[in-house]
Amino acid sequence: MIIKCIHHKILIFTLLLPILLNGQQSKCFETRPEGVPSGIKNKKSGFIITDVPSYLWHRGCGPTALGMIIGYYDLNGFNDLFSENTINQTNSINMSIASDEHYNNYSIPLDYYPNLLSDNSENGLGHQNNSIADFMKTSMSVYNNYWGWSWSSDIGNAFEEYINYINPNYITNTEYTFFSNNSWEKFKNEINNNRPVIILVDSDGDNSTDHFVVGFGYDNINQEFACYDTWDNNIHWYSWQEMQNGVNWGVFGFNSFNIENTSTSVTDEAYIDKKMFVIDILGKKTNQTYNKPLIYFYDNQQYLKQIIIR
């Protein structure tokens, strides 16, 4: 009798495993699919984080969405995460999101569900990770990812590993929140603390996850979230509701992110050169000096209290 129960449990788990896994995956929607609503665009009410960059789909919605998150932190005190100003989506930004090496090794041959084709992730002929999509395992057939697909379980690791690859002095942490009775409050808390998130949604209402978007605002009265959806540069507003059949833009869950700098000194001359002016702790303008606490105002409208040690 015990053996029979164990067999039943194994059988049930085996049958449910594809459903559980597919519930965490995005799909390759390079543009808005026909019939998928665009929500309310650019409305004036609600609260948003104002300096999140908007990027269009580049070789996967997962790496594109995470590129916006990293681009946001690059604009807010961690300016070495990308090599160029992250307000505009340049080719350099795209290569940081998903490089040509990533595309050639893991996207080619382009494959679409349900015909998974083998790529270099299966034969050891890939390359050293050099873009967000590499760390996210996007499009890699060895992880059952088709062209442009990613797993939500790889988003947090990709954030931490990419940033460690760029600057190991930064401390990162991530957390995943599934839709629940208190997920709306947790989402608002992230936004109130100026931490945009990545939301996994079911955009077409078939009760299967399909798209990653960047959530960076909310309307508490109407319980709506604001996002960039990677398909255009508009702000889109959708109802915060659980994923289920017939519900477009139902929420499965979201990744939250945090980053801190362990260094108490700044030695990056390229960053120093971006300053507009410097004041001392008494508020008087001064020239850059070393080994004294000064406040640096930068051309990206940020300011930092720093001690430059020499």
Side-chain angles (χ1 to χ4, degrees):
M1 185 66 180
I2 295 176
I3 295 176
K4 185 176 180 180
C5 289
I6 292 174
H7 284 174
H8 282 172
K9 288 181 180 179
I10 293 174
L11 177 60
I12 291 170
F13 181 78
T14 303
L15 292 174
L16 287 177
L17 184 58
I19 298 173
L20 293 173
L21 293 178
N22 288 336
Q24 302 179 57
Q25 206 167 17
S26 69
K27 298 179 175 64
C28 182
F29 294 158
E30 300 180 45
T31 58
R32 185 183 306 278
E34 184 177 354
V36 171
S38 59
I40 302 171
K41 291 189 289 186
N42 301 320
K43 74 174 188 176
K44 302 301 182 182
S45 60
F47 172 78
I48 63 170
I49 304 171
T50 57
D51 50 353
V52 177
S54 175
Y55 299 156
L56 299 179
W57 195 98
H58 179 70
R59 298 172 178 171
C61 61
T64 305
L66 188 54
M68 292 188 234
I69 298 291
I70 293 173
Y72 166 78
Y73 283 110
D74 185 273
L75 287 169
N76 287 274
F78 303 88
N79 81 307
D80 56 350
L81 298 178
F82 286 150
S83 61
E84 293 186 357
N85 188 299
T86 59
I87 294 176
N88 299 313
Q89 187 178 3
T90 63
N91 183 65
S92 174
I93 297 296
N94 280 339
M95 291 303 101
S96 294
I97 291 172
S99 64
D100 287 340
E101 292 92 341
H102 174 87
Y103 179 79
N104 292 328
N105 280 320
Y106 309 128
S107 300
I108 300 297
L110 299 183
D111 49 2
Y112 301 89
Y113 181 84
N115 300 311
L116 187 68
L117 302 177
S118 177
D119 57 45
N120 283 343
S121 65
E122 298 191 39
N123 58 27
L125 298 178
H127 61 280
Q128 181 179 357
N129 292 347
N130 61 17
S131 65
I132 294 169
D134 293 324
F135 293 105
M136 198 177 292
K137 306 178 178 66
T138 302
S139 300
M140 296 185 186
S141 60
V142 71
Y143 298 106
N144 203 37
N145 280 324
Y146 298 84
W147 154 235
W149 289 34
S150 304
W151 294 99
S152 61
S153 54
D154 290 323
I155 296 280
N157 289 337
F159 176 76
E160 296 183 354
E161 291 173 10
Y162 174 83
I163 289 178
N164 183 68
Y165 162 73
I166 296 296
N167 189 334
N169 288 321
Y170 296 151
I171 296 177
T172 57
N173 58 74
T174 63
E175 182 180 344
Y176 198 83
T177 301
F178 294 95
F179 187 96
S180 66
N181 291 334
N182 66 344
S183 59
W184 174 247
E185 294 301 321
K186 294 187 70 173
F187 170 71
K188 290 193 302 177
N189 182 65
E190 292 303 305
I191 305 307
N192 288 336
N193 284 281
N194 294 307
R195 295 191 295 259
V197 306
I198 291 180
I199 307 173
L200 179 59
V201 299
D202 168 20
S203 66
D204 58 8
D206 66 353
N207 202 29
S208 176
T209 59
D210 55 39
H211 199 50
F212 292 112
V213 301
V214 175
F216 62 98
Y218 66 87
D219 178 346
N220 199 43
I221 295 176
N222 297 305
Q223 199 159 323
E224 294 172 338
F225 66 93
C227 71
Y228 287 134
D229 64 11
T230 78
W231 294 328
D232 60 37
N233 296 121
N234 294 311
I235 301 174
H236 296 264
W237 294 82
Y238 300 103
S239 295
W240 185 268
Q241 50 190 333
E242 187 173 11
M243 185 180 79
Q244 56 186 298
N245 276 317
V247 175
N248 293 100
W249 295 96
V251 174
F252 179 84
F254 64 89
N255 295 86
S256 52
F257 310 90
N258 192 41
I259 178 172
E260 298 176 9
N261 191 349
T262 60
S263 175
T264 58
S265 65
V266 175
T267 58
D268 184 353
E269 296 297 333
Y271 189 57
I272 294 169
D273 287 343
K274 292 183 179 181
K275 67 181 182 296
M276 296 175 65
F277 60 90
V278 184
I279 63 174
D280 60 22
I281 59 175
L282 298 178
K284 296 180 180 180
K285 280 193 175 183
T286 183
N287 295 322
Q288 175 182 301
T289 57
Y290 299 102
N291 304 316
K292 292 183 179 180
L294 300 172
I295 300 175
Y296 290 76
F297 289 80
Y298 296 93
D299 60 6
N300 62 0
Q301 299 183 351
Q302 302 300 310
Y303 64 90
L304 295 173
K305 183 178 179 181
Q306 301 170 337
I307 302 175
I308 301 178
I309 299 174
R310 274 196 176 177

